[in-house]
Amino acid sequence: MSMITNRIPIIPGDMLQISDFKVFSLSKEEENLELVYQGLHRHDCFEMFWVTKGQGTVRIDFQSYTLSPNTLVLISPGQIHGWVDENPVQEVEGYMLIFSSELMARQKPELAGWSPTMLFEMMGGNSFQLLNEEQAFIFNELFRLLAREQAKVQKDQTIAVRSYIELLLIEMSRIEDHWQQSHREEAGFKLSRQYLLAVEMHFRSTTIVSEYASMLYVTSNHLNDSIKKTLGISASDVLRDRQLLEAKRLLSHSKAQVDEIASHIGFRDSSYFGRWFKKNMGMSPTTFRKLN
């Protein structure tokens, strides 16, 4: 399989002077924040935006979202994103937290490989949340405490930072409390999360749902029933959507030929890939590339 180069730049954590975490004020005067306000880009770490004032528009993987007060935004490593309006009418204020997955996994090994995006998929696939006043108060306090930890070196700082970030993630998991109370104790919830993680790891090489079922030691029917119950779509839909996202990213942001892209995401026959893409997107890969 050939190596495909994506034209969208990756801004690594060390360029932002990040080892484990860093909290930015969402102000264009913030040092190094111009790297975040630039055009479409990616990171090799997690980002969390917490907006307290103003309005702005960001684009994440082909969708545009409007930021407003009490908006929480979560972006995972590799997601293509950027600000749509570089000079918003009402300048956005708030915080941006960037942290590495290693920060969590180092002292809590069971979180290795855990992705906040997976959490939001389990909560309905929404990486944007508008919080109520009570929730907003909690997030304001947690970000304030993270900013305090960043201000100076203190005893057990890494433990404190990891704990505050974990609390942020716990509070996010409570945003959709009604949904979670209905599903979090069910075996289907755990299986669905395992499937999402497996798809993220293997979608380029494993393109048949039955193979994922074998990987997870369940039948295909049981896997599909669990996915439908928790996510509202079929197991094959989850796999298809992940392949489509990768195809769209590469068509829009790389110079790779269509047959290279097809091979990269697991299609041996580029003609079949073209028909599959058109069936799902309503246009050919070549047309999609011209329009994007």
Side-chain angles (χ1 to χ4, degrees):
M1 184 179 295
S2 61
M3 183 67 68
I4 293 179
T5 303
N6 197 310
R7 289 179 293 180
I8 298 297
I10 295 178
I11 300 176
D14 55 9
M15 187 178 294
L16 294 168
Q17 299 178 6
I18 297 165
S19 55
D20 283 332
F21 88 105
K22 189 166 185 177
V23 178
F24 294 90
S25 169
L26 287 178
S27 168
K28 291 190 177 181
E29 285 70 43
E30 174 82 22
E31 184 181 0
N32 287 326
L33 200 60
E34 68 274 5
L35 292 172
V36 178
Y37 273 98
Q38 71 173 26
L40 291 174
H41 61 280
R42 298 171 289 162
H43 293 287
D44 60 358
C45 41
F46 295 114
E47 289 179 274
M48 189 185 301
F49 288 87
W50 172 238
V51 180
T52 57
K53 292 182 181 179
Q55 287 189 334
T57 305
V58 296
R59 187 184 184 196
I60 303 177
D61 279 334
F62 308 100
Q63 293 190 53
S64 294
Y65 302 88
T66 299
L67 300 178
S68 59
N70 295 351
T71 298
L72 181 70
V73 187
L74 200 59
I75 299 173
S76 286
Q79 283 195 291
I80 297 171
H81 60 284
W83 293 82
V84 174
D85 45 355
E86 296 182 0
N87 297 293
V89 176
Q90 299 179 345
E91 185 172 333
V92 172
E93 296 182 21
Y95 297 96
M96 181 182 70
L97 167 66
I98 297 183
F99 64 97
S100 66
S101 55
E102 290 80 9
L103 174 69
M104 304 301 291
R106 190 175 300 125
Q107 294 186 25
K108 210 164 187 181
E110 65 269 23
L111 292 180
W114 183 87
S115 163
T117 297
M118 298 299 178
L119 173 63
F120 272 112
E121 287 195 51
M122 299 304 296
M123 291 165 40
N126 186 11
S127 58
F128 271 60
Q129 294 287 349
L130 182 62
L131 276 57
N132 62 36
E133 290 302 318
E134 180 182 357
Q135 293 165 336
F137 174 81
I138 294 171
F139 276 82
N140 280 329
E141 286 300 300
L142 288 173
F143 272 101
R144 183 185 65 78
L145 288 168
L146 280 168
R148 184 193 69 169
E149 289 298 323
Q150 181 173 276
K152 63 178 181 179
V153 176
Q154 301 187 76
K155 180 182 178 182
D156 296 328
Q157 187 172 49
T158 300
I159 297 174
V161 168
R162 180 182 59 78
S163 298
Y164 291 144
I165 293 175
E166 191 172 355
L167 283 171
L168 283 171
L169 301 177
I170 289 171
E171 289 299 327
M172 287 192 298
S173 74
R174 294 173 176 174
I175 292 173
E176 296 290 335
D177 185 65
H178 176 74
W179 191 96
Q180 284 203 349
Q181 291 303 318
S182 299
H183 297 287
R184 68 182 301 173
E185 300 302 329
E186 298 176 6
F189 181 90
K190 181 179 180 180
L191 178 59
S192 296
R193 183 177 181 277
Q194 291 173 333
Y195 177 64
L196 287 169
L197 289 168
V199 167
E200 187 64 29
M201 291 176 64
H202 303 293
F203 73 91
R204 295 183 183 89
S205 58
T206 304
T207 59
I208 301 174
V209 170
S210 62
E211 294 182 6
Y212 286 96
S214 297
M215 194 183 302
L216 298 171
Y217 304 102
V218 296
T219 66
S220 297
N221 287 339
H222 179 61
L223 176 61
N224 198 52
D225 289 344
S226 297
I227 298 299
K228 282 186 174 179
K229 187 174 182 180
T230 53
L231 300 181
I233 58 177
S234 69
S236 60
D237 288 339
V238 172
L239 180 56
R240 176 207 62 199
D241 289 348
R242 185 61 185 91
Q243 290 174 306
L244 271 177
L245 174 59
E246 196 70 12
K248 291 191 293 182
R249 282 176 173 174
L250 294 173
L251 287 167
S252 297
H253 307 302
S254 80
K255 296 181 179 180
Q257 298 296 317
V258 172
D259 59 345
E260 291 181 287
I261 294 172
S263 175
H264 186 71
I265 61 174
F267 287 83
R268 296 180 181 178
D269 185 340
S270 60
S271 297
Y272 175 72
F273 167 74
R275 295 193 298 272
W276 173 84
F277 189 90
K278 186 172 183 179
K279 177 183 177 182
N280 288 287
M281 294 300 300
M283 65 184 76
S284 70
T286 303
T287 302
F288 179 87
R289 168 169 273 173
K290 289 179 180 177
L291 294 176
N292 288 274

